[in-house]
Amino acid sequence: MSHRVTLIPGDGIGREVSLAAKRCIAATGVKIEWEEQIAGAEAMKKFGTVLPTQVLDSISKNKVAIKGPITTPVGKGFRSVNVQLRLSLDLYACLRPCKFYKGVKSRYQDLDLVVVRENTEDLYAGIEFSQGLKRTKDIIEQIEKLSGSTIKRDSAIGIKPISVSASKRIARFAFDYAVKNKRKKVTAVHKANIMKETDGLFLKMAREVAKDYEGKIEFEDRIVDNMCMQLVQKPELYDVLVLPNLYGDILSDLCAGLVGGLGIAAGGNIGDHIALFEPVHGSAPKYAGLNKVNPAAAILSGVLMLRYLNEIDAADRLERAVASVIAQGKDVTYDLKPDRNDPTAVGTSQMADAIIKALETSTSLFGKLS
Ligand code: NAD
């Protein structure tokens, strides 16, 4: 069976790592018809918008997409393509596995955590009112009237919506993920002791959903500041974490750091019917076109995509091939060498070649055995 997948290569180092991922996915033998779409700076030049409608149409039609990083210009007038994609396609769950691979410089060995971040609401949804505007002052006055609290007149305002529906569906996503992937525990992370209404609601909904999984998946909750300390001191105690958008954004990078950083951190943004996979790292413009950066995060995002497409065997084989190349430590990029200036470090495409070779070797061994 062939799958149709939208490919958005991205910019900066995006094209290089996306091409590496595409080649490695092809080497698994899974048949994919790629529909390439451009977004970001290149689309801005060509179509006058960073996210042309045909990109959204293509993803909505194919239901699955893989994407390289896209540069978000600093300053006014640009809304991040990533945020726009998540909101327009209602990709409400951000999935970030944080797994230790032997050979990666990491403070912790054998770590295997999954972060599930709510993607659509919270402070991160970016509903903000600029300091000094009349409507901001009007809002301040209204809030003061309704809440009885005082807000400084020279404030900017950000809104933190947390809903029953979004909290329930992200909790359900985390529990379903735990069941499907034979995980043991879900931990809800919040600051409900202070934000009793918003985070309190998130926690209440997580507790409600947890009841449906009693006896199958353990449930607990942690206050976000305590969670940060625990993740640094004893991360092995945790399994699947579920968080509102902003804490999820911060803690998923913290967890990526626990297992060796951006070079290997893969992710997916998943809705009820559509999923978009992408490495966690950005477009690292200073390395663009140098064939230098690590393609593993993009390739492991491809592994997540293959799992989503139910190509489990191909996903497992590709993940093992990535793991074996990293463990051998020979054909790896500079960031995976003990010394970043190691002259034996290979380029992006050469590391992809080594992964393809490892994949073919294990495939032919498997073929001989069967
Ligand atoms: P970045 O992740 O692009 O780069 C930070 C540093 O991390 C790099 O300088 C490099 O040293 C290292 N790094 C990143 N990816 C690597 C890889 N594959 N292999 C080895 N080292 C790697 O973060 P940034 O500099 O903060 O952001 C650059 C641009 O990317 C910004 O415009 C930002 O908005 C955008 N961004 C996009 C996405 C996305 O599209 N999903 C995500 C994050 C940042």
Side-chain angles (χ1 to χ4, degrees):
M1 179 194 167
S2 168
H3 307 277
R4 253 187 110 77
V5 173
T6 302
L7 171 72
I8 305 166
D11 50 43
I13 57 169
R15 278 211 173 262
E16 298 156 60
V17 295
S18 301
L19 178 64
K22 191 176 162 189
R23 286 171 54 221
C24 289
I25 293 166
T28 64
V30 172
K31 296 212 171 357
I32 296 196
E33 279 178 65
W34 299 99
E35 196 171 294
E36 190 171 320
Q37 295 287 341
I38 57 166
E42 205 184 329
M44 189 71 196
K45 260 194 233 150
K46 218 168 163 181
F47 303 111
T49 164
V50 285
L51 185 59
T53 46
Q54 62 264 34
V55 180
L56 291 171
D57 291 347
S58 167
I59 303 174
S60 303
K61 178 179 60 122
N62 295 329
K63 314 278 184 227
V64 181
I66 191 159
K67 173 184 157 297
I70 290 175
T71 310
T72 307
V74 179
K76 294 196 171 168
F78 290 100
R79 192 154 189 218
S80 150
V81 171
N82 304 305
V83 174
Q84 285 189 59
L85 279 169
R86 285 168 208 163
L87 293 180
S88 321
L89 300 168
D90 199 22
L91 305 175
Y92 62 84
C94 178
L95 182 71
R96 296 243 188 120
C98 299
K99 187 168 170 181
F100 171 72
Y101 291 99
K102 192 165 171 268
V104 176
K105 274 175 281 172
S106 167
R107 287 177 195 279
Y108 301 94
Q109 316 283 306
D110 299 331
L111 209 62
D112 188 4
L113 269 176
V114 178
V115 178
V116 175
R117 160 189 172 191
E118 203 288 322
N119 242 349
T120 64
E121 56 181 20
D122 194 1
L123 277 173
Y124 205 95
I127 307 168
E128 296 198 299
F129 297 88
S130 310
Q131 186 273 323
L133 291 186
K134 170 155 185 331
R135 60 188 185 142
T136 310
K137 288 185 188 144
D138 292 346
I139 287 168
I140 291 174
E141 276 168 24
Q142 273 298 319
I143 296 174
E144 283 189 339
K145 236 188 257 168
L146 293 168
S147 68
S149 43
T150 323
I151 302 173
K152 286 196 175 63
R153 285 294 182 275
D154 55 354
S155 302
I157 296 283
I159 303 288
K160 174 171 166 130
I162 298 275
S163 67
V164 168
S165 49
S167 302
K168 268 191 172 170
R169 71 178 178 174
I170 197 66
R172 198 160 292 287
F173 181 95
F175 277 98
D176 287 343
Y177 179 89
V179 171
K180 202 167 167 205
N181 293 277
K182 302 191 174 46
R183 298 275 173 167
K184 292 194 168 59
K185 184 170 74 172
V186 170
T187 305
V189 184
H190 59 86
K191 187 79 183 172
N193 53 328
I194 302 297
M195 276 164 274
K196 295 182 195 301
E197 300 306 330
T198 47
D199 284 18
L201 185 62
F202 179 82
L203 176 58
K204 189 172 167 216
M205 293 306 113
R207 281 187 177 138
E208 246 178 50
V209 170
K211 285 187 196 139
D212 294 343
Y213 297 82
E214 251 169 24
K216 276 192 262 174
I217 304 290
E218 203 187 312
F219 174 72
E220 64 180 9
D221 71 277
R222 289 284 179 277
I223 293 173
V224 62
D225 37 351
N226 178 28
M227 188 76 232
C228 290
M229 191 182 67
Q230 300 243 337
L231 281 170
V232 172
Q233 288 191 329
K234 34 193 173 182
E236 67 285 354
L237 293 185
Y238 298 94
D239 193 354
V240 177
L241 308 181
V242 62
L243 311 94
N245 207 343
L246 184 61
Y247 309 144
D249 179 54
I250 299 165
L251 263 68
S252 50
D253 271 25
L254 186 149
C255 290
L258 294 179
V259 290
L262 287 174
I264 51 155
N269 294 293
I270 301 169
D272 282 334
H273 307 290
I274 298 176
L276 178 138
F277 298 88
E278 60 180 338
V280 171
H281 63 73
S283 58
K286 70 177 175 186
Y287 292 121
L290 299 182
N291 187 36
K292 186 169 169 75
V293 296
N294 188 348
I299 297 168
L300 290 170
S301 302
V303 167
L304 291 177
M305 183 190 83
L306 289 170
R307 291 222 168 91
Y308 182 83
L309 292 170
N310 220 17
E311 298 285 0
I312 308 297
D313 173 60
D316 290 347
R317 283 187 288 118
L318 182 52
E319 187 180 9
R320 278 200 301 273
V322 173
S324 77
V325 167
I326 294 176
Q328 278 166 23
K330 185 173 153 281
D331 296 315
V332 294
T333 46
Y334 73 101
D335 55 309
L336 292 173
K337 292 284 185 184
D339 170 8
R340 290 168 78 89
N341 297 314
D342 189 332
T344 67
V346 301
T348 310
S349 63
Q350 289 69 33
M351 184 165 165
D353 291 342
I355 291 168
I356 292 167
K357 199 164 163 213
L359 188 63
E360 287 167 354
T361 314
S362 72
T363 307
S364 65
L365 270 180
F366 184 74
K368 274 182 202 155
L369 288 172
S370 59

mmCIF file with all atom_site columns, all heavy atoms in Angstrom, residues 130-145:
data_model
loop_
_atom_site.group_PDB
_atom_site.id
_atom_site.type_symbol
_atom_site.label_atom_id
_atom_site.label_alt_id
_atom_site.label_comp_id
_atom_site.label_asym_id
_atom_site.label_entity_id
_atom_site.label_seq_id
_atom_site.pdbx_PDB_ins_code
_atom_site.Cartn_x
_atom_site.Cartn_y
_atom_site.Cartn_z
_atom_site.occupancy
_atom_site.B_iso_or_equiv
_atom_site.pdbx_formal_charge
_atom_site.auth_seq_id
_atom_site.auth_comp_id
_atom_site.auth_asym_id
_atom_site.auth_atom_id
_atom_site.pdbx_PDB_model_num
ATOM 1   N N   . SER A 1 130 ? -1.525  45.042 23.523 1.00 0.00 ? 130 SER A N   1
ATOM 2   C CA  . SER A 1 130 ? -0.302  45.845 23.688 1.00 0.00 ? 130 SER A CA  1
ATOM 3   C C   . SER A 1 130 ? -0.451  46.901 24.769 1.00 0.00 ? 130 SER A C   1
ATOM 4   O O   . SER A 1 130 ? -1.529  47.490 24.935 1.00 0.00 ? 130 SER A O   1
ATOM 5   C CB  . SER A 1 130 ? 0.029   46.576 22.390 1.00 0.00 ? 130 SER A CB  1
ATOM 6   O OG  . SER A 1 130 ? 0.011   45.690 21.322 1.00 0.00 ? 130 SER A OG  1
ATOM 7   N N   . GLN A 1 131 ? 0.657   47.163 25.413 1.00 0.00 ? 131 GLN A N   1
ATOM 8   C CA  . GLN A 1 131 ? 0.701   48.215 26.428 1.00 0.00 ? 131 GLN A CA  1
ATOM 9   C C   . GLN A 1 131 ? 0.406   49.571 25.769 1.00 0.00 ? 131 GLN A C   1
ATOM 10  O O   . GLN A 1 131 ? 0.842   49.845 24.656 1.00 0.00 ? 131 GLN A O   1
ATOM 11  C CB  . GLN A 1 131 ? 2.105   48.206 27.076 1.00 0.00 ? 131 GLN A CB  1
ATOM 12  C CG  . GLN A 1 131 ? 2.268   49.140 28.239 1.00 0.00 ? 131 GLN A CG  1
ATOM 13  C CD  . GLN A 1 131 ? 2.683   50.545 27.820 1.00 0.00 ? 131 GLN A CD  1
ATOM 14  O OE1 . GLN A 1 131 ? 3.462   50.710 26.893 1.00 0.00 ? 131 GLN A OE1 1
ATOM 15  N NE2 . GLN A 1 131 ? 2.153   51.538 28.499 1.00 0.00 ? 131 GLN A NE2 1
ATOM 16  N N   . GLY A 1 132 ? -0.404  50.361 26.423 1.00 0.00 ? 132 GLY A N   1
ATOM 17  C CA  . GLY A 1 132 ? -0.616  51.733 25.961 1.00 0.00 ? 132 GLY A CA  1
ATOM 18  C C   . GLY A 1 132 ? -1.842  51.928 25.075 1.00 0.00 ? 132 GLY A C   1
ATOM 19  O O   . GLY A 1 132 ? -2.301  53.052 24.921 1.00 0.00 ? 132 GLY A O   1
ATOM 20  N N   . LEU A 1 133 ? -2.380  50.869 24.491 1.00 0.00 ? 133 LEU A N   1
ATOM 21  C CA  . LEU A 1 133 ? -3.539  51.042 23.610 1.00 0.00 ? 133 LEU A CA  1
ATOM 22  C C   . LEU A 1 133 ? -4.799  51.310 24.430 1.00 0.00 ? 133 LEU A C   1
ATOM 23  O O   . LEU A 1 133 ? -4.932  50.823 25.557 1.00 0.00 ? 133 LEU A O   1
ATOM 24  C CB  . LEU A 1 133 ? -3.766  49.784 22.764 1.00 0.00 ? 133 LEU A CB  1
ATOM 25  C CG  . LEU A 1 133 ? -2.738  49.446 21.682 1.00 0.00 ? 133 LEU A CG  1
ATOM 26  C CD1 . LEU A 1 133 ? -3.212  48.259 20.870 1.00 0.00 ? 133 LEU A CD1 1
ATOM 27  C CD2 . LEU A 1 133 ? -2.486  50.647 20.774 1.00 0.00 ? 133 LEU A CD2 1
ATOM 28  N N   . LYS A 1 134 ? -5.743  52.001 23.806 1.00 0.00 ? 134 LYS A N   1
ATOM 29  C CA  . LYS A 1 134 ? -6.977  52.313 24.519 1.00 0.00 ? 134 LYS A CA  1
ATOM 30  C C   . LYS A 1 134 ? -7.722  51.027 24.892 1.00 0.00 ? 134 LYS A C   1
ATOM 31  O O   . LYS A 1 134 ? -8.204  50.865 26.006 1.00 0.00 ? 134 LYS A O   1
ATOM 32  C CB  . LYS A 1 134 ? -7.862  53.225 23.659 1.00 0.00 ? 134 LYS A CB  1
ATOM 33  C CG  . LYS A 1 134 ? -9.253  53.380 24.242 1.00 0.00 ? 134 LYS A CG  1
ATOM 34  C CD  . LYS A 1 134 ? -9.966  54.624 23.864 1.00 0.00 ? 134 LYS A CD  1
ATOM 35  C CE  . LYS A 1 134 ? -11.296 54.774 24.580 1.00 0.00 ? 134 LYS A CE  1
ATOM 36  N NZ  . LYS A 1 134 ? -12.003 53.577 24.973 1.00 0.00 ? 134 LYS A NZ  1
ATOM 37  N N   . ARG A 1 135 ? -7.785  50.085 23.934 1.00 0.00 ? 135 ARG A N   1
ATOM 38  C CA  . ARG A 1 135 ? -8.550  48.867 24.236 1.00 0.00 ? 135 ARG A CA  1
ATOM 39  C C   . ARG A 1 135 ? -7.901  48.055 25.366 1.00 0.00 ? 135 ARG A C   1
ATOM 40  O O   . ARG A 1 135 ? -8.576  47.367 26.110 1.00 0.00 ? 135 ARG A O   1
ATOM 41  C CB  . ARG A 1 135 ? -8.754  48.009 22.995 1.00 0.00 ? 135 ARG A CB  1
ATOM 42  C CG  . ARG A 1 135 ? -7.484  47.531 22.354 1.00 0.00 ? 135 ARG A CG  1
ATOM 43  C CD  . ARG A 1 135 ? -7.805  46.863 21.045 1.00 0.00 ? 135 ARG A CD  1
ATOM 44  N NE  . ARG A 1 135 ? -6.621  46.288 20.461 1.00 0.00 ? 135 ARG A NE  1
ATOM 45  C CZ  . ARG A 1 135 ? -6.577  45.149 19.828 1.00 0.00 ? 135 ARG A CZ  1
ATOM 46  N NH1 . ARG A 1 135 ? -7.655  44.430 19.681 1.00 0.00 ? 135 ARG A NH1 1
ATOM 47  N NH2 . ARG A 1 135 ? -5.457  44.707 19.320 1.00 0.00 ? 135 ARG A NH2 1
ATOM 48  N N   . THR A 1 136 ? -6.577  48.180 25.504 1.00 0.00 ? 136 THR A N   1
ATOM 49  C CA  . THR A 1 136 ? -5.911  47.480 26.613 1.00 0.00 ? 136 THR A CA  1
ATOM 50  C C   . THR A 1 136 ? -6.348  48.109 27.938 1.00 0.00 ? 136 THR A C   1
ATOM 51  O O   . THR A 1 136 ? -6.650  47.415 28.906 1.00 0.00 ? 136 THR A O   1
ATOM 52  C CB  . THR A 1 136 ? -4.372  47.552 26.454 1.00 0.00 ? 136 THR A CB  1
ATOM 53  O OG1 . THR A 1 136 ? -4.061  47.144 25.127 1.00 0.00 ? 136 THR A OG1 1
ATOM 54  C CG2 . THR A 1 136 ? -3.659  46.668 27.455 1.00 0.00 ? 136 THR A CG2 1
ATOM 55  N N   . LYS A 1 137 ? -6.410  49.444 27.927 1.00 0.00 ? 137 LYS A N   1
ATOM 56  C CA  . LYS A 1 137 ? -6.850  50.147 29.154 1.00 0.00 ? 137 LYS A CA  1
ATOM 57  C C   . LYS A 1 137 ? -8.290  49.779 29.479 1.00 0.00 ? 137 LYS A C   1
ATOM 58  O O   . LYS A 1 137 ? -8.652  49.566 30.644 1.00 0.00 ? 137 LYS A O   1
ATOM 59  C CB  . LYS A 1 137 ? -6.699  51.657 28.990 1.00 0.00 ? 137 LYS A CB  1
ATOM 60  C CG  . LYS A 1 137 ? -5.229  52.070 29.013 1.00 0.00 ? 137 LYS A CG  1
ATOM 61  C CD  . LYS A 1 137 ? -5.070  53.584 28.964 1.00 0.00 ? 137 LYS A CD  1
ATOM 62  C CE  . LYS A 1 137 ? -3.600  53.919 28.783 1.00 0.00 ? 137 LYS A CE  1
ATOM 63  N NZ  . LYS A 1 137 ? -3.369  55.073 27.956 1.00 0.00 ? 137 LYS A NZ  1
ATOM 64  N N   . ASP A 1 138 ? -9.132  49.688 28.412 1.00 0.00 ? 138 ASP A N   1
ATOM 65  C CA  . ASP A 1 138 ? -10.541 49.288 28.625 1.00 0.00 ? 138 ASP A CA  1
ATOM 66  C C   . ASP A 1 138 ? -10.608 47.893 29.256 1.00 0.00 ? 138 ASP A C   1
ATOM 67  O O   . ASP A 1 138 ? -11.376 47.660 30.190 1.00 0.00 ? 138 ASP A O   1
ATOM 68  C CB  . ASP A 1 138 ? -11.313 49.257 27.298 1.00 0.00 ? 138 ASP A CB  1
ATOM 69  C CG  . ASP A 1 138 ? -11.476 50.664 26.720 1.00 0.00 ? 138 ASP A CG  1
ATOM 70  O OD1 . ASP A 1 138 ? -11.235 51.640 27.467 1.00 0.00 ? 138 ASP A OD1 1
ATOM 71  O OD2 . ASP A 1 138 ? -11.824 50.764 25.527 1.00 0.00 ? 138 ASP A OD2 1
ATOM 72  N N   . ILE A 1 139 ? -9.797  46.990 28.732 1.00 0.00 ? 139 ILE A N   1
ATOM 73  C CA  . ILE A 1 139 ? -9.794  45.617 29.262 1.00 0.00 ? 139 ILE A CA  1
ATOM 74  C C   . ILE A 1 139 ? -9.355  45.619 30.722 1.00 0.00 ? 139 ILE A C   1
ATOM 75  O O   . ILE A 1 139 ? -9.953  44.963 31.575 1.00 0.00 ? 139 ILE A O   1
ATOM 76  C CB  . ILE A 1 139 ? -8.886  44.703 28.407 1.00 0.00 ? 139 ILE A CB  1
ATOM 77  C CG1 . ILE A 1 139 ? -9.579  44.424 27.070 1.00 0.00 ? 139 ILE A CG1 1
ATOM 78  C CG2 . ILE A 1 139 ? -8.550  43.383 29.109 1.00 0.00 ? 139 ILE A CG2 1
ATOM 79  C CD1 . ILE A 1 139 ? -8.699  43.796 26.035 1.00 0.00 ? 139 ILE A CD1 1
ATOM 80  N N   . ILE A 1 140 ? -8.309  46.382 31.002 1.00 0.00 ? 140 ILE A N   1
ATOM 81  C CA  . ILE A 1 140 ? -7.806  46.464 32.387 1.00 0.00 ? 140 ILE A CA  1
ATOM 82  C C   . ILE A 1 140 ? -8.926  46.935 33.319 1.00 0.00 ? 140 ILE A C   1
ATOM 83  O O   . ILE A 1 140 ? -9.155  46.347 34.388 1.00 0.00 ? 140 ILE A O   1
ATOM 84  C CB  . ILE A 1 140 ? -6.571  47.394 32.460 1.00 0.00 ? 140 ILE A CB  1
ATOM 85  C CG1 . ILE A 1 140 ? -5.380  46.721 31.751 1.00 0.00 ? 140 ILE A CG1 1
ATOM 86  C CG2 . ILE A 1 140 ? -6.218  47.746 33.903 1.00 0.00 ? 140 ILE A CG2 1
ATOM 87  C CD1 . ILE A 1 140 ? -4.145  47.584 31.612 1.00 0.00 ? 140 ILE A CD1 1
ATOM 88  N N   . GLU A 1 141 ? -9.639  47.980 32.872 1.00 0.00 ? 141 GLU A N   1
ATOM 89  C CA  . GLU A 1 141 ? -10.726 48.497 33.725 1.00 0.00 ? 141 GLU A CA  1
ATOM 90  C C   . GLU A 1 141 ? -11.811 47.451 33.949 1.00 0.00 ? 141 GLU A C   1
ATOM 91  O O   . GLU A 1 141 ? -12.301 47.259 35.059 1.00 0.00 ? 141 GLU A O   1
ATOM 92  C CB  . GLU A 1 141 ? -11.327 49.762 33.094 1.00 0.00 ? 141 GLU A CB  1
ATOM 93  C CG  . GLU A 1 141 ? -10.522 50.998 33.451 1.00 0.00 ? 141 GLU A CG  1
ATOM 94  C CD  . GLU A 1 141 ? -10.909 52.206 32.607 1.00 0.00 ? 141 GLU A CD  1
ATOM 95  O OE1 . GLU A 1 141 ? -12.048 52.237 32.093 1.00 0.00 ? 141 GLU A OE1 1
ATOM 96  O OE2 . GLU A 1 141 ? -10.048 53.095 32.460 1.00 0.00 ? 141 GLU A OE2 1
ATOM 97  N N   . GLN A 1 142 ? -12.169 46.752 32.863 1.00 0.00 ? 142 GLN A N   1
ATOM 98  C CA  . GLN A 1 142 ? -13.205 45.711 32.961 1.00 0.00 ? 142 GLN A CA  1
ATOM 99  C C   . GLN A 1 142 ? -12.773 44.598 33.927 1.00 0.00 ? 142 GLN A C   1
ATOM 100 O O   . GLN A 1 142 ? -13.539 44.155 34.776 1.00 0.00 ? 142 GLN A O   1
ATOM 101 C CB  . GLN A 1 142 ? -13.454 45.064 31.581 1.00 0.00 ? 142 GLN A CB  1
ATOM 102 C CG  . GLN A 1 142 ? -14.479 45.780 30.729 1.00 0.00 ? 142 GLN A CG  1
ATOM 103 C CD  . GLN A 1 142 ? -15.850 45.797 31.390 1.00 0.00 ? 142 GLN A CD  1
ATOM 104 O OE1 . GLN A 1 142 ? -16.288 44.804 31.975 1.00 0.00 ? 142 GLN A OE1 1
ATOM 105 N NE2 . GLN A 1 142 ? -16.521 46.936 31.344 1.00 0.00 ? 142 GLN A NE2 1
ATOM 106 N N   . ILE A 1 143 ? -11.535 44.170 33.767 1.00 0.00 ? 143 ILE A N   1
ATOM 107 C CA  . ILE A 1 143 ? -11.037 43.079 34.627 1.00 0.00 ? 143 ILE A CA  1
ATOM 108 C C   . ILE A 1 143 ? -11.025 43.522 36.086 1.00 0.00 ? 143 ILE A C   1
ATOM 109 O O   . ILE A 1 143 ? -11.425 42.777 36.985 1.00 0.00 ? 143 ILE A O   1
ATOM 110 C CB  . ILE A 1 143 ? -9.628  42.602 34.180 1.00 0.00 ? 143 ILE A CB  1
ATOM 111 C CG1 . ILE A 1 143 ? -9.701  41.991 32.779 1.00 0.00 ? 143 ILE A CG1 1
ATOM 112 C CG2 . ILE A 1 143 ? -9.055  41.565 35.152 1.00 0.00 ? 143 ILE A CG2 1
ATOM 113 C CD1 . ILE A 1 143 ? -8.365  41.622 32.173 1.00 0.00 ? 143 ILE A CD1 1
ATOM 114 N N   . GLU A 1 144 ? -10.585 44.741 36.300 1.00 0.00 ? 144 GLU A N   1
ATOM 115 C CA  . GLU A 1 144 ? -10.565 45.252 37.684 1.00 0.00 ? 144 GLU A CA  1
ATOM 116 C C   . GLU A 1 144 ? -11.969 45.242 38.273 1.00 0.00 ? 144 GLU A C   1
ATOM 117 O O   . GLU A 1 144 ? -12.181 44.827 39.408 1.00 0.00 ? 144 GLU A O   1
ATOM 118 C CB  . GLU A 1 144 ? -9.977  46.663 37.719 1.00 0.00 ? 144 GLU A CB  1
ATOM 119 C CG  . GLU A 1 144 ? -8.462  46.652 37.588 1.00 0.00 ? 144 GLU A CG  1
ATOM 120 C CD  . GLU A 1 144 ? -7.860  48.019 37.839 1.00 0.00 ? 144 GLU A CD  1
ATOM 121 O OE1 . GLU A 1 144 ? -8.583  49.022 37.713 1.00 0.00 ? 144 GLU A OE1 1
ATOM 122 O OE2 . GLU A 1 144 ? -6.658  48.076 38.156 1.00 0.00 ? 144 GLU A OE2 1
ATOM 123 N N   . LYS A 1 145 ? -12.941 45.689 37.441 1.00 0.00 ? 145 LYS A N   1
ATOM 124 C CA  . LYS A 1 145 ? -14.319 45.756 37.919 1.00 0.00 ? 145 LYS A CA  1
ATOM 125 C C   . LYS A 1 145 ? -14.828 44.361 38.272 1.00 0.00 ? 145 LYS A C   1
ATOM 126 O O   . LYS A 1 145 ? -15.438 44.136 39.309 1.00 0.00 ? 145 LYS A O   1
ATOM 127 C CB  . LYS A 1 145 ? -15.203 46.345 36.808 1.00 0.00 ? 145 LYS A CB  1
ATOM 128 C CG  . LYS A 1 145 ? -15.973 47.590 37.267 1.00 0.00 ? 145 LYS A CG  1
ATOM 129 C CD  . LYS A 1 145 ? -16.956 48.015 36.213 1.00 0.00 ? 145 LYS A CD  1
ATOM 130 C CE  . LYS A 1 145 ? -16.428 49.218 35.449 1.00 0.00 ? 145 LYS A CE  1
ATOM 131 N NZ  . LYS A 1 145 ? -17.186 49.523 34.241 1.00 0.00 ? 145 LYS A NZ  1
#
